[in-house]
Every structure is written in structure tokens, then in C-alpha cells.
Amino acid sequence: MRVALFITCLADQFYAEAGVATVRLLRALGVEVDFPQEQTCCGQPAFNAGHWNEARSLALRTLGVFQEAEYVVLPSGSCASMVKNHYLELLPGNKEALELAERTYELSQFLVRVLGVSELGKGLSGKKIAYHHGCHALRELGVREEPLLLLKNSGAEVLPWEAAEECCGFGGLFSVKLPEVSLAMADRKLATLPQAEVLTSTDAGCLLHLSGRMGKQGKGMRVVPLATLLWEAYAG
Amino acid sequence: MRVKAKLYPKEAARLLREKPGVRDAVTGATLHFEAGRKKAYQEVDAEAWRERAKRVKDHLLTHLDQYLELAEKRLQEKGVQVHWAEDPEEAHRILREIVARRGVRRAVKAKSMLTEELGVNPLLEALGVEVYETDLGEYLIQLLGEPPSHIVGPAIHLALSDIQRLFHSRFGTPLDASPEALAAVARRVLREAFLTAELGISGANFLVAETGTLVLMENEGNIRLATSLPKVHVAFVGIEKLLPRLHDLALFLPLTARAATGQRLSTYVSLIQGPAKEGEEGPEEVHVVLVDHGRTALLHDPEAWEVLRCLRCGACLNACPVYRQTGGHPYGYVYSGPIGAVLDPGLLGLEDTHPLPYASTLCGACYEACPVKIPIPKLLLTWRRRAVEQGLAQGWERAAIQAFSKVMQSPSLYRLFSKGLRGLPLPQDWLPLLRAWTEGRGPLKPSPKPFHQLWQELKE
């Protein structure tokens, strides 16, 4: 089985180690990994802000880049949803978009649903983890149980979190168009954060926003993408 | 009502800065409602109920002309006087005529968002009519001179201490009066109003076309009094609030109550079948004013009409983490929260409301909550796309998106950008954007090497 990794621009720049972890994990599970060099951004920021022309040309680029891929895997729920759900709105009737949508998965979704993996290893034994459900992973992709299953089966304790399924306030351009509201949302989320050792999520944007806010408040906690933890679960 | 939606981003920021108590009050109340809704949805096959309700509303909306004619006929058969108002001015004329003919000096009014839309209170005051809001929350904000902050809980933004201060200055109650003592004062004032008012005004949760039945849902009993004690009852009904058949209520009453407040049914449901007949108690005259105010035009908008399914339950407000921070006032119009962000542009046009579709992170919690499955995130995206097409996007945003898109179109430019992020100063144009981010979150710290560089090492 061959998988093309779509690292996403945000993870490429800010959470590069999530990409490394994804590659190592997939290889360890016997999957060949390609990294199409021409890839850039899926177009989500432009799309969500209403700039559909710009988004459409980036979507068409991405379709071309991943045309040959058997599967496309992203360590990001919102970019995966962009490809899976919104390319079809941007490019109605486009056959390639439909096909790509069917072959595209967020990482944990791919592991559980396609590879049928539910346990990676016991590398996270005893670790107390807070899991933030990225909104697009949760509500657009329906990824709710997969990350929790993989984390729990690796020996981690996923702590109950009242606001686990609430939006963190990132929302792409929302975070800079309405910075005060965005920060108030992060503060509400963080005020209910349990005493965990690690905070994780599928999405780089949410993590950048939450970890930045925590830092500003003088709170320290390890904040890493889910892919990084899943590799640790496997490798110990 | 004056529309102040353009000020949304500024007003939201100002409210968070100047009235932090609003955030606490609204967050507390909405989380409570939201938990109630979730529990109440779990007790039933919510997905099936919502799907069914959506279909009934879609059927109604796609045959609206026929159902409106039927409703008018049935209402008239029951002795109800039916009026049509295309805009607030026409609604005002109808009300003015009734007030003059009946010599109305005092009116009691049930909570109704449509009457907020039409500016019924300011009109009555201008006519010299004393008007009392009879919903307790609505009465509080009437005393304060504020618009409602929430579709269902108009005073959701107030803390007990705010109300204690208000009643202290108005009625001389002690500053530490208990909620029960405060309610007793309001009850005394409102009872007097009920007993002496010549006119009762209400909205309608539903108007059943098949039978010409006005349906009102409430928990405090005040609507029942407003529609039964005064000699004249005027109900303002948005043309989209119709239901085809009486038995549709079997679905819509429990669904609306569950969505709005987590109740299985509201405490009181009034089914009004016209004025009192010989020997009965009740109003001598019942008027139904069917109001358009932008709805017909919205119905013909193929991308935005679905918002007209809205039942005004407020579930999306309770579910919305953006609304929770500020309550409804910064949205600058009657309808706030996620539904306001897609309904207000539909009713008023994008020109005056265009920041509202951006008042969301597209998290999708509103769609999950909506009892009639209005695809709010999809509609938000539609209005945003139109805002850009109409040239309403701010200059910096357009420039940033175009620059971003240009970079992302070209892998070599992207590689350059990647290098720049790790050393070079960022272009000046991007600074406001960058500042808005870093002020609350500290500087952006890229990975030492981007992944596309690490990939080369992974290959070997």
C-alpha cells in the first residue's frame, strides 16, 4: 500500500516533527510513503474567508499534485475536510475532486478505518493526556473515537475535559479578524483544561493558538500534534 | 430598529473589555441551556425528528403562497381580521389604525422578535400608548432601554446584581433583594397592566394554515394573559412561521421546547382560534398581521432561503462558542449569534451586515443544535463568498489572501517563504495581521527546519 503524505502548510512550517512522526509510523506499519514535492496549501484559509477564486486555483493545484496517489493522508482534520468535503463545493461536478475526496483521510481515521489498526504499542503508558477535538475533524469528518481509541490503547489516560469538544477559537483568519473574541474562547477552553502532561489534537492551527495563549499566560505544558504522540505510542 | 451590525468586530471587542460580567452571565446561561438541549435530544430520535421537521418546513416554504392563502381564509372564517404588511411602515399603519379606533391608552406585549424587528414599542410610545413587556426578561431590558441579547432569553446577559441595582433605582427595593422579592415587584406592576390594558400584542411561534390556529409557547403564563384579558389582540406573524397542518404541532411543539430550553414541552401552549364568541370570555377582536419584511425576497434566493426554516428557538446561540463570549448586543440587530449571522444579511442585505458572516469559526456546533437542520456553516460560507465578490472584504485581507495564494501557487515561492519565515523580516503589509496574532499569543515559532526539508533526510 502506498500513501501520499499531505503535510499541510501549517504543519510543514510549525509542526514539522508531526510529518516525521507520520512517515515513521506509516512505514513501521508496512506502508510506503511518498511526499509529492509540489504540494503547498490546500486553499482552506482563502475558502473560509470567502475568496473562492484563490481557493479554487489552490484546490486545482492540489488535485494535480495528488492525482496519482492511492491514498492521501493528512495529519490535520481541517485540511482533510477541506479536500474531502469542500473541494466538491468549489469544483462542482469535478470527477477528480470526487475521487480525491474518497481517497483522502486524516491520519487517525486512516489508521483505524483503512489499516484496521486499533493498537500501536504501549509507548504512552501512564501518560495523562488532554485531547482537543478539532471542530472540522469532529463535525465535518466525524473523527471522534479514532484518536481516543489509539491513545487509550497505548496505555495513556485521556483525561475527562468538560470543554473537549468546544471550539478553541482559532478558526483561521477568525483569530486575527476578531482577536479579542478568539482569545476569550481560548481562555474558556484553557480554564477548564485538566491537569495533563500533554495537550494534543489533530490540528496544527488549534495547537498553535492554544499553546501560544498558554505561553502568554505563563502556563507550561507540552503541546504536540496527535501524529507525534501516535509515533511515541508505537516507538515507546 | 436601527441596524448596527457593521460595528460588530469593534463592539464585540469593546464589550469583552468593558463588560466582562456579560461574558460570565452569558456563558453560564448558554451552557446550562445547551446541556439541557443535549439531554432532551438524547431522549428521542433527534436525528429523525430534525429531518422530519426540516422536510415539513421545506414543503411549507416551497408552497408558501398556497398556505398563506389557506391560512388567511381559515383565520377569516374564525372571525380573525387578517392584515398584510410588506414592511415596518405598513405594520405601523395597521397598528396605528387599531390604536386610534379603539382609543388604546395602555398595551401589554408578549415577547416577540418580530415586534423588535418592526419597532412596535417605539411606535406605541410615539402614539402616547403605555406599553408593558410582560415576559420578565423582556420587562427587565425594557426598563433598561436595551434590545434583547438572546432570542429566547432576552436578559441572559444580566447578573442578579444588575437586576438588584435596576429595581433599587426604579422601585426602591433593597440592593440585596432576593430573586423572589424582585419577581414579586414585577408581578405587582405587570398584574396591574394586564387588568387595565385595552390592547394585547403578541408574536406567534406557529400559525397552522389548515385550521387558522395561532400557536404560542411560553413558560410564565404572561402570554395567556396578554391574549385573553385585553379586548383587542394583535398578533404579528412572519410569513415563514406557518405550519401546514394541525398535527404538525405534535412534532414541532416538543422539538422546539427541547431545542430551546431542554424542556419536553413548554409550560403553556396557547392555541388561539379567534375572538371570543357570544358568552365566552376573551378578546372582542383578534388581528393577525402577516409580515414580509424581506422574507419573500430571501425565499427566492436559491443559496440562502433555507434560513427561513428557523423556529427562533435560540439553540444555535446556546451552542455557539463565539456568541457565548459576548451575548447578542454586538451583533447589532434583533437576531444575533449564528442564526443572526445568516438571517440578518438575508433580511437586510450584505451591505449593512457584512461583518456578521465572519462572526464564526465555522465550528459547526450550531448546525448540530438546529432543530430544522439549517446548514448555518454552509450559509456563512455563501455570505462570505458574496462579501468578497461584492468587494466588501477589507483591503488588508484581500492583499494578504492574494499574496498568500500567489506564494502557495508556486512551490519555489513557497520554499522562499519558508526560508524567510526562518530569518528574514516579514513584509510590511502582513504586519497588522501578524500583530493581531502575536499580541495575545506571543511570537510565532516555526520548526527549526520545515518538513519538506526533513523529508530529504527521511529518504536517506
Side-chain angles (χ1 to χ4, degrees):
Chain A
M1 186 185 285
R2 283 184 88 88
V3 157
L5 171 64
F6 190 177
I7 183 66
T8 78
C9 52
L10 216 51
D12 187 22
Q13 299 303 328
F14 294 99
Y15 290 102
E17 77 275 11
V20 176
T22 304
V23 174
R24 289 195 171 132
L25 183 61
L26 288 172
R27 281 181 181 164
L29 295 169
V31 177
E32 283 184 82
V33 184
D34 295 325
F35 181 72
Q37 297 286 324
E38 300 288 293
Q39 63 179 276
T40 58
C41 166
C42 66
Q44 186 189 193
F47 177 72
N48 281 355
H51 302 259
W52 285 31
N53 285 337
E54 285 79 1
R56 196 173 289 118
S57 29
L58 290 173
L60 285 168
R61 270 205 86 244
T62 306
L63 285 186
V65 172
F66 291 100
Q67 204 168 18
E68 302 297 323
E70 189 183 344
Y71 289 101
V72 178
V73 171
L74 303 88
S76 157
S78 67
C79 306
S81 174
M82 180 69 197
V83 176
K84 258 184 124 59
N85 298 314
H86 299 303
Y87 276 16
L88 299 164
E89 292 160 37
L90 267 176
L91 306 162
N94 185 306
K95 194 162 149 280
E96 281 86 29
L98 192 66
E99 284 169 5
L100 184 64
E102 282 167 5
R103 291 179 282 131
T104 298
Y105 293 88
E106 179 277 324
L107 176 63
S108 70
Q109 190 183 34
F110 180 76
L111 294 175
V112 175
R113 294 194 204 168
V114 180
L115 293 185
V117 172
S118 58
E119 199 190 317
L120 296 164
K122 292 290 176 198
L124 299 174
S125 280
K127 275 237 156 58
K128 289 183 192 305
I129 292 174
Y131 182 77
H132 159 65
H133 286 274
C135 298
H136 295 178
L138 180 66
R139 299 194 185 87
E140 292 185 1
L141 291 180
V143 173
R144 174 182 262 123
E145 297 305 326
E146 293 88 339
L148 303 178
L149 179 80
L150 292 169
L151 290 171
K152 283 174 187 163
N153 286 348
S154 68
E157 187 189 345
V158 180
L159 299 177
W161 183 4
E162 180 198 330
E165 294 190 4
E166 276 179 34
C167 178
C168 67
F170 171 61
L173 275 193
F174 180 87
S175 63
V176 289
K177 281 175 86 104
L178 291 154
E180 299 84 0
V181 184
S182 166
L183 293 172
M185 289 164 73
D187 291 350
R188 142 86 189 154
K189 188 101 195 179
L190 292 172
T192 59
L193 183 66
Q195 288 290 327
E197 296 166 71
V198 196
L199 168 64
T200 190
S201 182
T202 56
D203 271 80
C206 308
L207 294 178
L208 267 183
H209 169 63
L210 287 174
S211 65
R213 190 60 185 162
M214 262 196 255
K216 199 79 186 177
Q217 293 173 342
K219 284 185 205 157
M221 186 184 290
R222 191 173 168 228
V223 180
V224 292
L226 180 68
T228 306
L229 283 189
L230 295 183
W231 169 242
E232 286 173 19
Y234 181 89
Chain B
M1 180 182 178
R2 225 185 105 217
V3 181
K4 289 182 243 168
K6 271 187 176 167
L7 302 175
Y8 173 75
K10 266 197 193 118
E11 288 298 306
R14 194 170 66 87
L15 191 137
L16 277 165
R17 211 168 43 239
E18 292 174 8
K19 294 185 183 171
V22 168
R23 185 178 168 222
D24 296 335
V26 174
T27 300
T30 50
L31 285 172
H32 174 74
F33 281 138
E34 171 69 351
R37 177 192 64 79
K38 281 190 170 162
K39 190 161 165 271
Y41 269 18
Q42 272 166 16
E43 291 178 346
V44 297
D45 186 349
E47 182 52 31
W49 283 31
R50 293 167 70 218
E51 185 58 33
R52 178 80 201 141
K54 167 187 183 290
R55 284 181 193 205
V56 171
K57 271 314 238 194
D58 282 354
H59 169 78
L60 180 274
L61 290 168
T62 47
H63 301 81
L64 189 57
D65 50 346
Q66 295 161 34
Y67 282 113
L68 280 168
E69 277 174 32
L70 178 62
E72 179 181 40
K73 192 165 153 238
R74 293 287 182 257
L75 285 164
Q76 285 169 344
E77 285 167 5
K78 291 180 188 323
V80 175
Q81 301 181 46
V82 180
H83 312 260
W84 299 85
E86 205 164 307
D87 50 35
E89 290 68 38
E90 288 189 10
H92 287 189
R93 206 186 58 229
I94 293 159
L95 189 57
R96 209 183 295 124
E97 190 274 322
I98 295 169
V99 163
R101 187 167 47 76
R102 299 287 310 208
V104 174
R105 306 280 302 279
R106 185 174 268 194
V108 285
K109 188 174 137 320
K111 194 188 92 58
S112 137
M113 298 309 275
L114 179 57
T115 57
E116 296 285 338
E117 228 184 279
L118 299 172
V120 163
N121 285 5
L123 171 76
L124 288 174
E125 283 155 20
L127 296 174
V129 176
E130 259 188 302
V131 54
Y132 288 85
E133 289 289 348
T134 61
D135 171 88
L136 184 53
E138 195 77 31
Y139 181 57
L140 296 176
I141 60 168
Q142 185 187 22
L143 292 176
L144 285 168
E146 289 183 0
S149 182
H150 186 285
I151 292 173
V152 173
I156 196 173
H157 59 299
L158 300 179
L160 175 60
S161 56
D162 298 323
I163 301 164
Q164 286 167 328
R165 268 198 304 279
L166 170 68
F167 274 48
H168 174 72
S169 69
R170 280 304 184 106
F171 305 113
T173 48
L175 272 170
D176 60 352
S178 67
E180 291 75 18
L182 297 172
V185 172
R187 192 176 287 125
R188 196 187 52 193
V189 174
L190 292 176
R191 264 193 191 144
E192 169 68 18
F194 280 126
L195 293 170
T196 51
E198 298 97 353
L199 173 65
I201 295 173
S202 75
N205 288 92
F206 305 103
L207 170 57
V208 178
E210 177 190 44
T211 52
T213 306
L214 268 176
V215 184
L216 293 157
M217 302 172 66
E218 57 161 333
N219 283 322
E220 293 164 4
N222 58 299
I223 300 184
R224 274 176 64 75
L225 291 174
T227 60
S228 55
L229 284 178
K231 293 297 173 206
V232 182
H233 170 205
V234 179
F236 290 93
V237 185
I239 53 170
E240 82 285 14
K241 305 284 304 247
L242 268 64
L243 284 179
R245 298 152 306 184
L246 195 64
H247 87 229
D248 293 322
L249 292 177
L251 171 63
F252 280 87
L253 291 176
L255 179 59
T256 306
R258 277 168 204 269
T261 51
Q263 291 169 280
R264 290 177 176 137
L265 207 54
S266 58
T267 313
Y268 296 91
V269 176
S270 302
L271 305 182
I272 295 175
Q273 303 273 37
K277 300 187 189 78
E278 278 286 314
E280 285 179 354
E281 286 183 11
E284 294 164 5
E285 287 179 26
V286 174
H287 299 261
V288 165
V289 186
L290 290 159
V291 179
D292 187 317
H293 199 206
R295 286 156 175 80
T296 301
L298 183 51
L299 187 60
H300 288 101
D301 182 331
E303 290 184 314
W305 68 276
E306 282 180 277
V307 71
L308 290 172
R309 289 203 293 264
C310 179
L311 308 179
R312 310 286 191 265
C313 70
C316 60
L317 276 60
N318 300 330
C320 179
V322 173
Y323 172 87
R324 273 185 209 145
Q325 305 309 318
T326 62
H329 288 163
Y331 293 81
Y333 190 57
V334 183
Y335 306 104
S336 58
I339 192 67
V342 291
L343 181 59
D344 301 351
L347 293 177
L348 304 166
L350 204 42
E351 199 82 347
D352 290 330
T353 55
H354 96 268
L356 293 186
Y358 291 92
S360 165
T361 59
L362 303 172
C363 83
C366 49
Y367 173 65
E368 252 177 16
C370 179
V372 283
K373 298 182 82 168
I374 298 169
I376 296 175
K378 194 185 101 190
L379 296 175
L380 289 166
L381 286 167
T382 298
W383 287 113
R384 290 180 186 189
R385 193 199 76 225
R386 289 180 177 182
V388 170
E389 284 167 0
Q390 291 176 25
L392 295 168
Q394 283 167 290
W396 67 262
E397 181 191 310
R398 242 192 346 262
I401 292 280
Q402 277 166 7
F404 177 81
S405 170
K406 202 171 167 60
V407 167
M408 294 301 174
Q409 279 298 340
S410 146
S412 55
L413 273 180
Y414 176 62
R415 298 278 187 276
L416 262 178
F417 162 80
S418 180
K419 281 205 183 99
L421 198 61
R422 285 164 184 77
L424 296 168
L426 287 151
Q428 289 296 315
D429 301 8
W430 286 53
L431 270 180
L433 200 73
L434 204 58
R435 210 182 314 121
W437 174 273
T438 53
E439 262 175 9
R441 304 167 190 89
L444 284 162
K445 290 177 215 127
S447 303
K449 285 180 188 175
F451 174 80
H452 62 255
Q453 208 172 320
L454 296 174
W455 170 252
Q456 306 303 328
E457 298 163 21
L458 279 166
K459 268 204 307 195
E460 284 142 23

